[in-house]
Structures are given as C-alpha cells and as structure tokens.
C-alpha cells in the first residue's frame, strides 16, 4: 500500500498515540538530555514497502509540539516535504521493522539499562532467568531463561544496524546497545510499551540482585 493510500485519520491516530506515550515516558525521565526515540508503523506491513512515524532528531521529548514526528519510508527517508530530520537512529528502527514486521519500536536511555548493558556487554547478551515478569514476553515456561542481545555502541549507526539481523531473537523483543540504551518493540504500541516496561523492571531487579549478591549475610 502506498503512503498516499493510508487514511489521514489513521495517520492522526498514530501521531496522537505516539505523543501520549512520549509524554508518559518523559514523565518517567526516560528521555534524559533529548535522548531516546519512538516510532510507530502506519499502514500494512510489507517488507518491500512500509512506512512509520518517528520522532524528529534532537528534540526535547518532554514537550508536545507540532514538530515532534515525521513520516519515513523503509529506508528511513522522509516521505513528505519537511525541515525536520528523522531520529539519528532511524536505521535501527528500519531494521527492526523489516525483520519482525512489528508495529512499534521504542528506544530509551535509562540508568539501569546502561549499567546492565555494560556489566554484561563483553558477553554479548544479558542472561535473565526465573523472574516472573519474563511472562510479559509471552514466555510461560517455568524458570525460563532469556538472553537479551547487547550490541556495541558504534558512533556509526549503519554499522550498528547491520549487526541487528545477526542477534535478533524472535522470542526476545529487545536489543541493548552497550552503555547507550534499549530498543524494544511489539506488534502495536501497547505491546511495545509492555515489553519495554518489563525489560526495565528486569534490569533493575538484576542490578539490585548483583548488589545483594555482593553483600554479606
Ligand atoms: C543526546 S542522546 C544521543 C543520541 C541518542 O542516542 C538518542 O537516542 C537520540 O537521538 P535522536 O536523533 O533520536 O534525537
Ligand atoms: Zn539513543
């Protein structure tokens, strides 16, 4: 489906939903120093042709303005005339959409995701086992273990994007960038938000467990 065939009503709904999520995450201090970026797909998914709304680069994400988002194509290029620049990390969103067909991708920098990504960074993944909230990823097996991939934080975003296919796990809807932040996704914004919140909870639990393990009884 071409971009022009997607109804204005649908595009407006997507922008409104993204703006509400952006405000909520900002209230949690999940966008310190203009960091982070959010996107939501519009229209049907076809790996050959898809479109999404993404946050404009470098904006204060705690504000709500008419210049917060723009629409881009599967290459991350703006599809309407605009002075806005898509997020510097749009190519990572493109890869996640292309590989998963998901409906929304959220990226935030938090203290816990940074600390955990560095602690396990050399291993290439964060192992998480036996914590109830793993069920938020629709994994119901007892004592389940997931491994959240950690990619190096290259300054060159295309170099990070090209590593995504090699680490993406269909059962784990998230990828960490070392000392940077997390990308989490889902079939729609509701699911992407649930996944992101679960990852952040799990990272905080792991961080605190690591401290407790170092404590003496
Ligand atoms: C000031 S944070 C550095 C860039 C970054 O990691 C980020 O998430 C925000 O970049 P954007 O271009 O999306 O504003
Ligand atoms: Zn970032």
């Amino acid at each position: 489906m071409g971009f022009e065939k997607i109804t204005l009503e649908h595009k407006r709904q997507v922008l409104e939903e993204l703006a509400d999520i952006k405000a909520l995450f900002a209230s949690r201090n999940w966008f310190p120093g203009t960091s982070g970026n959010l996107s939501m797909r519009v229209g049907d998914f076809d790996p050959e042709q898809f479109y999404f709304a993404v946050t404009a680069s470098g904006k204060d994400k705690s504000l709500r303005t008419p210049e917060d988002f723009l629409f881009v194509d599967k290459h991350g290029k703006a599809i309407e005339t605009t002075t806005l620049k898509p997020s510097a990390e749009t190519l990572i969103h493109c890869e996640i959409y292309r590989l998963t067909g998901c409906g929304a991708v959220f990226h935030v920098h938090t203290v816990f995701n940074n600390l955990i990504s560095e602690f396990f960074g050399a291993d290439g993944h964060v192992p998480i086992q036996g914590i109830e909230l793993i069920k938020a990823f629709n994994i119901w097996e007892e004592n389940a273990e997931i491994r959240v991939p950690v990619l190096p934080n290259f300054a060159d975003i295309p170099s990070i994007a090209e590593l995504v296919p090699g680490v993406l796990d269909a059962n784990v809807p998230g990828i960490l960038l070392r000392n940077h932040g997390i990308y989490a996704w889902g079939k729609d914004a509701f699911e992407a938000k649930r996944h992101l919140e679960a990852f952040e909870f799990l990272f905080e639990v792991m961080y605190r467990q690591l401290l407790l393990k170092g404590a003496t009884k």
Side-chain angles (χ1 to χ4, degrees), residues 139-158:
I139 298 171
W140 299 89
E141 167 199 328
E142 194 159 308
N143 206 28
E145 180 182 349
I146 61 166
R147 292 176 166 204
V148 187
V150 185
L151 287 177
N153 187 33
F154 299 137
D156 180 55
I157 300 297

Side-chain angles (χ1 to χ4, degrees), residues 18-209:
L18 265 180
D20 288 345
I21 287 167
K22 188 165 73 70
L24 177 69
F25 289 177
S27 75
R28 297 174 181 173
N29 196 25
W30 279 5
F31 299 126
T34 77
S35 66
N37 32 77
L38 306 177
S39 72
M40 243 179 105
R41 190 162 50 74
V42 289
D44 298 332
F45 177 72
D46 169 354
E48 295 306 318
Q49 189 185 48
F50 59 86
Y51 306 96
F52 59 94
V54 65
T55 41
S57 185
K59 300 279 180 181
D60 180 343
K61 277 125 193 153
S62 69
L63 304 178
R64 199 170 183 124
T65 83
E67 308 215 304
D68 290 339
F69 305 101
L70 66 159
F71 291 102
V72 298
D73 64 14
K74 68 165 186 168
H75 302 294
K77 300 280 175 235
I79 38 180
E80 294 174 311
T81 309
T82 175
T83 54
L84 299 177
K85 284 199 181 351
S87 164
E89 298 170 359
T90 300
L91 274 186
I92 299 174
H93 292 245
C94 292
E95 260 319 74
I96 294 169
Y97 284 114
R98 183 180 73 79
L99 294 162
T100 67
C102 69
V105 180
F106 299 156
H107 167 63
V108 297
H109 299 204
T110 67
V111 172
F112 291 113
N113 69 37
N114 271 250
L115 289 169
I116 288 294
S117 74
E118 173 56 18
F119 191 80
F120 292 99
D123 303 331
H125 66 267
V126 179
I128 308 179
Q129 185 165 24
I131 304 176
E132 177 70 7
L133 212 51
I134 288 176
K135 290 178 182 165
F137 307 126
N138 225 7
I139 298 171
W140 299 89
E141 167 199 328
E142 194 159 308
N143 206 28
E145 180 182 349
I146 61 166
R147 292 176 166 204
V148 187
V150 185
L151 287 177
N153 187 33
F154 299 137
D156 180 55
I157 300 297
S159 301
I160 300 177
E162 73 183 33
L163 297 177
V164 170
V167 299
L168 192 141
D169 177 342
N171 297 312
V172 180
I175 294 178
L176 280 159
L177 302 188
R178 190 168 177 174
N179 277 322
H180 178 156
I182 187 162
Y183 285 84
W185 57 87
K187 66 175 188 291
D188 52 26
F190 177 84
E191 189 179 80
K193 174 174 171 285
R194 188 182 81 219
H195 291 162
L196 179 59
E197 289 173 345
F199 280 122
E200 288 301 322
F201 177 91
L202 292 165
F203 296 148
E204 183 170 351
V205 168
M206 289 203 69
Y207 170 81
R208 294 186 188 281
Q209 269 178 358

